[in-house]
Amino acid sequence: MNEDMHGAALIDRVRERGWPTCEAPDLDEPVPVAPEVLDRLTLPGGRPLPPSLRRWLAFDGSWLAAVGWYDDPAEPRFGDRGLGATAEWMYGDDGTAGMFAGFEKLLPAVCLPLVGGCDSRRLLYLGSPDSTGEYPVLVTDTDDLAYVAVMYPGLDVYLADLAEVIDLDFDDYTSLASHPEYAGRMAEHAENTELGPDGLEFPDLDWLD
């Protein structure tokens, strides 16, 4: 494993590179979270922050506030929304959220919204971390049937892709499952979430009944 391609080290590269994309935040004046706040900050349930998130918040707390994670960028307090409520927040109340709520028996953990996509949205899923301590970024899609899959192995890779620090090719949402650097972590999350390497559509949940 190339450590520069994962976790806090990858976030350091993002911070050095800057934000060239239209979806990336304007961080000319980042708002760092104070060290004493970071030291007591935990995920819902009291779990430690993933390395990428801790390193990112030490740089800036404003963008994740802007995308809906919390209200105060200087004093983050993560919410407790599940997948259905997060989908309603991202897509609006158009009936789509109800289908994603149907996934909650499989994916019961807290979800935190991210930017990206039109019919699709991305979110950080706080289920089980991988061997590097990172949580998966899932994609949700409403183009035909409600669909959920592991798209990135962590916030580290998601932010690096957004900032164009690493060159990732997506033929489909789950392309990183065969990426030489990220396949291992993607496989961990595919197993932990039970979404598998290709993700699941809403009708695939019949086996949960």
Side-chain angles (χ1 to χ4, degrees), residues 99-112:
M99 288 188 289
F100 287 114
F103 280 87
E104 289 185 4
K105 186 180 292 186
L106 182 69
L107 302 168
V110 171
C111 300
L112 298 169

Side-chain angles (χ1 to χ4, degrees), residues 1-14 19 50-53 55-56 114 124 130 132-137 152-163 165-166 168 182 185 189:
M1 179 184 289
N2 181 349
E3 293 185 359
D4 287 343
M5 298 285 284
H6 302 267
L10 185 54
I11 296 299
D12 286 340
R13 294 176 58 196
V14 173
W19 293 92
S52 62
L53 179 56
R55 187 64 59 91
W56 179 257
L114 293 164
L124 189 70
D130 63 23
T132 71
E134 299 289 340
Y135 293 83
V137 171
Y152 296 93
L155 187 68
D156 52 346
V157 183
Y158 165 82
L159 288 172
D161 185 35
L162 193 66
V165 167
I166 50 180
L168 299 177
Y182 299 121
R185 289 175 58 191
H189 291 309

Side-chain angles (χ1 to χ4, degrees), residues 167-208:
D167 185 17
L168 299 177
D169 293 322
F170 283 94
D171 294 327
D172 54 48
Y173 291 135
T174 59
S175 289
L176 293 189
S178 59
H179 190 280
E181 188 64 40
Y182 299 121
R185 289 175 58 191
M186 291 288 287
E188 289 183 60
H189 291 309
E191 180 177 358
N192 290 340
T193 61
E194 298 186 62
L195 288 170
D198 300 316
L200 294 174
E201 289 186 328
F202 186 67
D204 296 328
L205 301 178
D206 288 345
W207 61 270
L208 289 172

Side-chain angles (χ1 to χ4, degrees), residues 39-163:
D39 286 344
R40 64 174 182 265
L41 185 60
T42 61
L43 297 178
R47 292 173 294 172
L49 303 182
S52 62
L53 179 56
R54 184 179 179 88
R55 187 64 59 91
W56 179 257
L57 291 175
F59 168 62
D60 174 68
S62 64
W63 183 59
L64 292 176
V67 300
W69 284 30
Y70 42 76
D71 295 326
D72 185 351
E75 289 276 352
R77 293 290 184 273
F78 303 116
D80 59 358
R81 289 182 296 213
L83 182 56
T86 303
E88 183 173 349
W89 189 90
M90 294 188 299
Y91 291 100
D93 187 13
D94 61 357
T96 301
M99 288 188 289
F100 287 114
F103 280 87
E104 289 185 4
K105 186 180 292 186
L106 182 69
L107 302 168
V110 171
C111 300
L112 298 169
L114 293 164
V115 300
C118 183
D119 289 333
S120 65
R121 300 287 191 276
R122 288 85 168 111
L123 57 88
L124 189 70
Y125 178 68
L126 301 180
S128 298
D130 63 23
S131 54
T132 71
E134 299 289 340
Y135 293 83
V137 171
L138 306 184
V139 59
T140 62
D141 189 278
T142 63
D143 186 40
D144 187 9
L145 297 168
Y147 167 80
V148 182
V150 178
M151 186 171 182
Y152 296 93
L155 187 68
D156 52 346
V157 183
Y158 165 82
L159 288 172
D161 185 35
L162 193 66

